[in-house]
Amino acid sequence: MTAAPDHRPTMSRAGLAERLGPHVPVLLIPAIMLFGLLAIPSMSSWLTLTVSGLAMGMMIFIMASGMTLVFGLMDVINFGHGVFISVGAFVGISILLLLGHMTEAPSLTLNLLAILAAVAAAMVATGVLGWAFERVIVKPVYGAHLKQILVTMGGLIVVEQMIIVLWGPEEIYLLRPEALKGAFTFWGAAVEKYRLLAVGIGLVLFLAMRFTLRRTKIGLIVRAGVENGEMVEALGYRLRLVFIGVFIAGSALAGLGGVMWGLYQEVITAHMGQHLMILIFIVVIIGGLGSVEGCFIGALLVGLLQNYTAFLEPKLALISNIALMVAILMWRPQGMIPVVKAK
């Protein structure tokens, strides 16, 4: 006689994994922060590194968010995205230098107004450059990835040389606005004022982008275009104009990120955008094509891991993000929160 089956209510491992699956990418952020807390002996050092990592991650997110939308919506591999970072930095910093009387004043209001003017000028300049870049360089090579890589890299080199012609080949050193210099002490940790500002701007931008994509009509069209562009066009929407708008917006966001990164490093060069492209591609790939949420999580992971690793073992900092990308792609080959399958 066979024994009766056990009908006690149980939760299968597969069911638990399915429930936790969507939340695992988000949980990686506190997991890395906990790892840093356990590995770093000093609480004040951990807090300082965490704020620095979050600030770095937010700025990388700002620069990468436009690219991930362009990548997901337009299927364009734009190796020239970094040039918008450089142009934005040079335009924005030039405006800040012209507004020296505002940046040198001890008033936080005047300092923020100067930064706002610099950011606005940088975003307008890079938005216009993005429109011209799409019309002249990207449009003829839609659907041809190898050609996209070649021509956008060529465009990057050309615009970098134009930057050198206009601003010179030398590095430009700068000082942050007076009210944003220095740091304040919190729980024994020195927290830089500018890094807190960067965290705030990045968080506000992420929430604004998420709201736009999820709660507005244009966001619905963009998300639908990522999923099935042919169906969106069949419904009568001019997806081509949406493509151009997203490309311009992505270029403008790169310009904003360039200004913020320049103030973060306090030095700008014509090749700064090209050097940042490694981090941006890592974030776009591990986040998932077309995913703003994935890009946000990936950027924070990159920023936190690089700061913790640089403190614990500086020699490993150069490869820490590559190791992170390899580990995540082995776990989820299409990225943490992919919107579309790789084309």
Side-chain angles (χ1 to χ4, degrees), residues 62-67 69-70 81 84 126-127 130 244-256:
I62 292 172
M63 293 181 281
S65 57
M67 185 174 182
L69 284 178
V70 170
H81 186 77
F84 304 122
T126 51
I244 298 173
V246 169
F247 199 95
I248 292 173
S251 304
L253 287 174
L256 166 61

Side-chain angles (χ1 to χ4, degrees), residues 182-331:
F184 62 88
T185 304
F186 181 74
W187 283 2
V191 179
E192 291 190 12
K193 299 175 183 178
Y194 180 75
R195 291 179 179 178
L196 283 180
L197 177 65
V199 171
I201 292 175
L203 186 59
V204 169
L205 182 62
F206 167 68
L207 294 175
M209 291 182 67
R210 197 169 188 272
F211 176 82
T212 301
L213 289 172
R214 291 181 176 272
R215 303 294 182 182
T216 65
K217 184 176 181 180
I218 186 63
L220 177 63
I221 295 173
V222 170
R223 288 189 292 118
V226 171
E227 286 287 348
N228 193 330
E230 294 181 358
M231 181 60 70
V232 173
E233 290 182 332
L235 293 174
Y237 293 103
R238 300 180 66 183
L239 197 58
R240 176 67 188 157
L241 294 180
V242 177
F243 284 179
I244 298 173
V246 169
F247 199 95
I248 292 173
S251 304
L253 287 174
L256 166 61
V259 176
M260 294 185 63
W261 190 262
L263 288 172
Y264 180 73
Q265 298 287 344
E266 295 187 296
V267 61
I268 58 174
T269 67
H271 305 291
M272 60 182 288
Q274 183 178 350
H275 297 157
L276 285 167
M277 283 303 294
I278 297 175
L279 289 178
I280 291 173
F281 270 114
I282 289 175
V283 167
V284 170
I285 290 169
I286 68 178
L289 296 180
S291 172
V292 172
E293 290 84 356
C295 179
F296 181 75
I297 296 171
L300 293 185
L301 292 176
V302 165
L304 289 169
L305 183 63
Q306 181 155 323
N307 277 268
Y308 291 153
T309 308
F311 178 82
L312 295 169
E313 189 57 53
K315 293 182 180 179
L316 296 179
L318 296 175
I319 64 171
S320 61
N321 291 317
I322 300 296
L324 174 67
M325 181 178 68
V326 171
I328 289 179
L329 292 182
M330 289 179 65
W331 168 45

Side-chain angles (χ1 to χ4, degrees), residues 1-8:
M1 181 181 295
T2 58
D6 188 358
H7 294 291
R8 287 177 298 177

